[in-house]
Every structure is written in C-alpha cells, then in structure tokens.
Amino acid sequence: MASGEFSSNTGLLLVSASTAVAFTWGALSESTALISTLLVSLVLGILYSVDLKMLRWKRFPLLAAGCILLVRALTVHVGFFFAC
C-alpha cells in the first residue's frame, strides 16, 4: 500500500482474509492459547495502525516500539509456547 500498488480496499480485503484464515485455523486447533495470542496480536495491530486520534501508535516512536516488542517478543512467543 505504501508504494501505491494496492488500493485501500485491496489492503482491507487482504487483511480481512488473513484475519479470517488465522482465526479459522486457531478455532480448528481448539487451542485457547493460540486463539488468545491471535486476539491480542489483532488488538495491538489495530491500535498500531488505526487512523483515530491517539490510537495510531506508529506515529509515536515509543508506543510503536513498545507495540512491536510486545507482539513479536512476548505475545507470539509465549502464546505459541503454550499453544503447543
């Protein structure tokens, strides 16, 4: 999207499809830990990217770094550890 190759609608479609596949896979696994990890990652991703005042965390370097660190270094590793 940043390069202009995708429209906003295409981006929304890709994100929606990816989210649906991830949650379907999580539901099929019947793993509470995996579904919780997906939910936390989704919520933090929305907070990072949504274009609402004080919620577009990528505008603020400290919040952006904290969000990325929380998802990639903690949530995903701990969630996947307990999902297995």
Side-chain angles (χ1 to χ4, degrees), residues 11-68:
L12 182 60
L13 178 67
L14 289 170
V15 169
S16 299
S18 298
T19 302
V21 168
F23 277 99
T24 300
W25 198 345
L28 291 174
S29 75
E30 298 179 4
S31 170
T32 305
L34 180 57
I35 294 170
S36 298
T37 299
L38 291 169
L39 272 172
V40 170
S41 298
L42 177 65
V43 168
L44 289 172
I46 290 169
L47 290 173
Y48 178 81
S49 297
V50 72
D51 197 11
L52 296 173
K53 191 173 186 171
M54 288 305 295
L55 287 182
R56 191 172 174 110
W57 287 3
K58 63 181 164 186
R59 287 186 191 164
F60 308 100
L62 189 58
L63 283 173
C67 183
I68 292 167

